[in-house]
Amino acid sequence: MQTQQLTEARSIGAILIDAGKLSAMDAEKILREQKLHSLRFGDAAIKLGLLNHDDIQFALANQFDYPYLPHGDQSISGEVIAAFSPDSPVVEQLRALRTQLMLRWFDTELQRKTLAIVSPENGEGRSYVAANLAVVFSQLGERTLLIDADLRQPRQHQLFKITNSAGLSSVLTGRTSANDAAVKINKLLGLSVVPAGATPPNPQELLSRAAFSTMLKIYSESYDVIIIDTPAAKSADAQTIASRSGAAMIVASQNRTSVAEFKTLLANLQQSNVIIVGSLLNDF
Ligand SMILES: Nc1ncnc2c1ncn2[C@@H]1O[C@H](COP(=O)(O)OP(=O)(O)O)[C@@H](O)[C@H]1O
Ligand SMILES: [Mg+2]
């Protein structure tokens, strides 16, 4: 038992040292305290004030490859339900969708890595689906990137509680490099998010720039799955983004989306040769 505890302690310490959150000297102090009072590594570290609960949680998530956050964790929004509740019905639905998408679209060898999440109107759940889908892909061990391309009503920075000062808009205007704009979500292994960035006066023009494709090419070198959140498809932005992505998934809300609008969107996407890899009836 004692040996097991020390092995565990060493690896938690090693993870935190590797992550730059703990110095080797502090790790030594913690090990000494731990031995002296028969404490667990984390408890000894907290007692000494050298680490906090978040650090320990980070290390445990790494150590056990356990991709879920404890309920009540405030570091991301509760709307990202896939990070908290693997058993909820909507998360089960998203995992089934993930399987379909793995079979029908994503293919690293064929460079099929990008998927735009589209829907006709606001409030139909695009951002919600994009965020949670990205999380379930990352939980499978895919190197996953979520890009917020809704430059009109950006949401992903709120869902993942990251700063929105640099993001897609600054990459498209050449003020930030693609790699600098991708923010690693520490507690969700394998997931990075590119927030929308400052709201520009000319979203449609920005999204049409060649820089968008260049950026996707750069990201496809480091990620296996790239999910793109888009604005309501009644604006032209979503079409532009979907064409660049090559593939799209349509979200429809049972109570909000009209059949006519859904059909128009489908027809428009097909006309621009976007592959429709599925649709999701978001029943909420
Ligand atoms: N399946 C769902 N279950 C619960 N709440 C949802 C679901 N889908 C969307 N919502 C909620 O509905 C609101 C609008 O969703 P959002 O994703 O922001 O829409 P959109 O991006 O299409 O404008 C958000 O508050 C979101 O959390
Ligand atoms: Mg949205």
Side-chain angles (χ1 to χ4, degrees):
M1 182 62 208
Q2 181 74 3
T3 326
Q4 195 185 347
Q5 248 188 25
L6 280 178
T7 316
E8 173 209 79
R10 256 197 299 278
S11 53
I12 290 181
I15 288 164
L16 290 167
I17 289 170
D18 288 348
K21 291 175 193 283
L22 183 68
S23 72
M25 221 205 293
D26 285 347
E28 281 297 315
K29 279 188 207 154
I30 296 168
L31 284 169
R32 234 175 295 139
E33 178 77 9
Q34 179 190 15
K35 237 179 172 171
L36 206 61
H37 301 286
S38 302
L39 296 171
R40 291 161 54 122
F41 184 84
D43 296 335
I46 289 167
K47 187 175 165 211
L48 291 173
L50 293 171
L51 293 170
N52 59 35
H53 279 286
D54 276 359
D55 298 324
I56 305 296
Q57 188 61 38
F58 168 85
L60 289 174
N62 274 273
Q63 186 178 34
F64 298 115
D65 254 350
Y66 185 70
Y68 301 104
L69 301 184
H71 284 277
D73 186 303
Q74 302 285 323
S75 62
I76 63 175
S77 158
E79 284 176 78
V80 189
I81 188 169
F84 299 94
S85 305
D87 298 330
S88 86
V90 60
V91 179
E92 272 169 25
Q93 193 188 3
L94 286 165
R95 276 199 301 267
L97 187 65
R98 175 184 70 188
T99 308
Q100 286 300 315
L101 292 170
M102 292 300 279
L103 294 173
R104 294 169 57 175
W105 174 244
F106 289 107
D107 189 322
T108 308
E109 270 173 37
L110 295 177
Q111 284 295 312
R112 295 200 316 212
K113 296 184 161 192
T114 311
L115 178 69
I117 309 299
V118 300
S119 84
E121 294 283 345
N122 278 320
E124 292 169 320
R126 284 183 313 282
S127 298
Y128 181 93
V129 168
N132 283 292
L133 193 61
V135 170
V136 296
F137 271 109
S138 74
Q139 287 166 337
L140 199 63
E142 301 287 333
R143 298 173 302 165
T144 307
L145 182 68
L146 171 64
I147 301 176
D148 193 344
D150 187 345
L151 299 180
R152 297 167 192 268
Q153 290 185 30
R155 284 272 283 139
Q156 299 302 342
H157 64 287
Q158 296 165 342
L159 296 182
F160 289 95
K161 300 194 179 174
I162 58 176
T163 166
N164 194 31
S165 52
L168 178 61
S169 62
S170 46
V171 174
L172 295 178
T173 50
R175 283 179 290 124
T176 308
S177 75
N179 287 324
D180 283 349
V183 180
K184 253 194 174 41
I185 307 301
N186 264 343
K187 293 197 178 173
L188 298 171
L189 299 178
L191 180 66
S192 298
V193 177
V194 177
T199 301
N202 53 343
Q204 170 62 31
E205 189 268 316
L206 277 190
L207 294 165
S208 308
R209 292 187 182 182
F212 196 90
S213 299
T214 311
M215 177 194 79
L216 289 182
K217 224 176 254 155
I218 294 171
Y219 287 141
S220 62
E221 285 163 16
S222 335
Y223 298 96
D224 307 312
V225 168
I226 301 169
I227 308 270
I228 308 184
D229 188 11
T230 66
K234 59 186 175 187
S235 76
D237 303 6
Q239 294 277 339
T240 308
I241 298 162
S243 312
R244 298 287 162 91
S245 308
M249 190 183 82
I250 306 181
V251 174
S253 150
Q254 176 126 39
N255 302 316
R256 294 159 202 255
T257 309
S258 83
V259 175
E261 276 185 323
F262 184 91
K263 283 186 174 163
T264 307
L265 173 56
L266 187 63
N268 287 342
L269 290 170
Q270 282 169 338
Q271 216 160 43
S272 19
N273 292 322
V274 176
I275 299 170
I276 313 296
V277 286
S279 58
L280 175 88
L281 189 62
N282 190 18
D283 188 8
F284 72 103

